[in-house]
């Protein structure tokens, strides 16, 4: 069988959440199914590290799909041309974008519908494109995969799609995430916080990730005498205005907020393991991978009680109202209790076993086979 995969988000050193999903699942499917030929569809010359086996053929399409107009050209013209040229039997698109009228059985992975529920998180052109085309992508795909039961229900309800058409494949955590030794923890604290304890926030900085209320909560925590506590914010600044810029500018303890930007996976694993806790106050998630990563790093988790996050965290996290900085601050202060923190970590050791990239890849493969059966 000849399977094409949309791999345009496999960019060396620039993998985001969907990029990691693509990389981790594609690598495993290629290795597990050498009897099939895979065609990876890129929009630029790929790094050789993304060609996972002899049964992978890279195909570079034009144009580079980094803008709504170019997305349209890439998926409406270049992709159908490639599917026909290479006589593809089955098409997988892990980022939810696809031709409107694919001529082959198509599985699209829709991670979440955050753009349908709140504005201001995306550029105007991106928001308009997704709001217009995503319902059509969902209806025209042979099958849909998504990463949580929450997202499955949301897609079904929002787009009026039969839930039987949607498979849940979950997410996993990078193998780098693990508990680190005390020596390793001391080293990473020395590098990033001058040896001080810290709480950590991990995400590309966009509006819905709700860093603004965490900054307000952190100020409140500092008022309770945590003089040496730092807040480490890991992630690229995509959005920095309005309430976020105002919250940061008005902080009383702004000097205790450390923003290293994007960091390498090895450093991120160590930073997460050495932290006092992960605080993840996002308003909306299709899954919430940092919650799972923290469990693998054996770090206590505070997360929002909204959308998919309780599904991922189970009983291994403290849950907060993301709209209430006082609630976030109180949860942070509760984890001064080392016994409670250790209880959450122990529960996380069980909860994390429910999610892995091996399981994701196996479920995604099953969904692909169901797609083929429904052609």
């Amino acid at each position: 069988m000849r399977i094409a995969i949309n791999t345009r988000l496999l960019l060396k050193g620039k993998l985001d959440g969907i990029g990691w999903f693509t990389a981790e699942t594609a690598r495993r499917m290629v290795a597990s199914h050498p009897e099939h030929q895979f065609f990876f569809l890129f929009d630029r010359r790929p790094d050789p590290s993304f060609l996972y086996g002899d049964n992978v053929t890279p195909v570079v399409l034009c144009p580079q799909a980094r803008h709504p107009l170019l997305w349209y050209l890439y998926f409406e013209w270049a992709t159908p041309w490639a599917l026909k040229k290479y006589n593809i039997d089955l098409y997988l698109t892990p980022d939810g974008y696809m031709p409107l009228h694919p001529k082959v059985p198509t599985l699209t992975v829709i991670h979440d519908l955050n753009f349908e529920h709140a504005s201001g998180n995306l550029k105007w052109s991106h928001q308009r494109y997704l709001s217009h085309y995503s319902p059509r992508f969902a209806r025209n795909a042979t099958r849909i995969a998504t990463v949580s039961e929450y997202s499955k229900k949301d897609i079904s309800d929002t787009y009026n799609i039969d839930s039987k058409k949607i498979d849940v494949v979950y997410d996993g955590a990078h193998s780098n995430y693990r508990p680190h030794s005390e020596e390793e923890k001391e080293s990473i604290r020395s590098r990033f916080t001058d040896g001080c304890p810290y709480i950590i926030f991990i995400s590309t900085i966009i509006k819905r990730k709700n860093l603004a209320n965490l900054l307000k909560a952190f100020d409140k925590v500092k008022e309770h005498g945590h003089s040496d506590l730092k807040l480490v914010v890991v992630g690229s600044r995509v959005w920095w205005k309005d309430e976020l810029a105002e919250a940061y500018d008005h902080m009383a303890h702004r000097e205790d907020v450390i923003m290293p930007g994007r960091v390498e996976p090895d450093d991120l694993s160590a930073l997460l393991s050495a932290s006092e806790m992960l605080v993840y106050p996002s308003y909306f998630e299709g899954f919430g991978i940092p919650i799972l990563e923290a469990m693998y790093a054996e770090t206590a988790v505070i997360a929002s009680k909204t959308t998919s996050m309780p599904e991922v965290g189970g009983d291994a996290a403290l849950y907060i109202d993301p709209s209430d900085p006082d609630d976030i601050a109180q949860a942070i202060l509760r984890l001064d209790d080392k016994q409670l923190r250790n209880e959450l970590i122990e529960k996380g050791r069980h909860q994390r076993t429910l999610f892995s990239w091996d399981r994701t890849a196996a479920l995604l493969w099953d969904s692909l086979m169901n797609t083929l059966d429904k052609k």
Side-chain angles (χ1 to χ4, degrees), residues 224-270:
H224 283 76
H226 291 66
S227 59
D228 61 344
L229 184 67
K230 308 293 184 183
L231 170 61
V232 176
V233 175
V234 179
S236 303
R237 286 194 192 188
V238 173
W239 181 83
W240 192 274
K241 58 182 180 179
D242 300 335
E243 62 263 38
L244 175 54
E246 182 179 355
Y248 182 74
D249 290 343
H250 287 83
M251 287 189 74
H253 302 278
R254 188 169 57 190
E255 71 279 1
D256 291 318
V257 179
I258 298 165
M259 297 187 178
R262 190 186 186 102
V263 302
E264 293 299 315
D266 286 345
D267 281 345
L268 184 53
S269 174

Side-chain angles (χ1 to χ4, degrees), residues 189 196 207 211 226 237 262 271 327:
R189 282 193 290 262
C196 293
K207 186 175 182 180
L211 178 58
H226 291 66
R237 286 194 192 188
R262 190 186 186 102
L271 276 167
D327 197 33

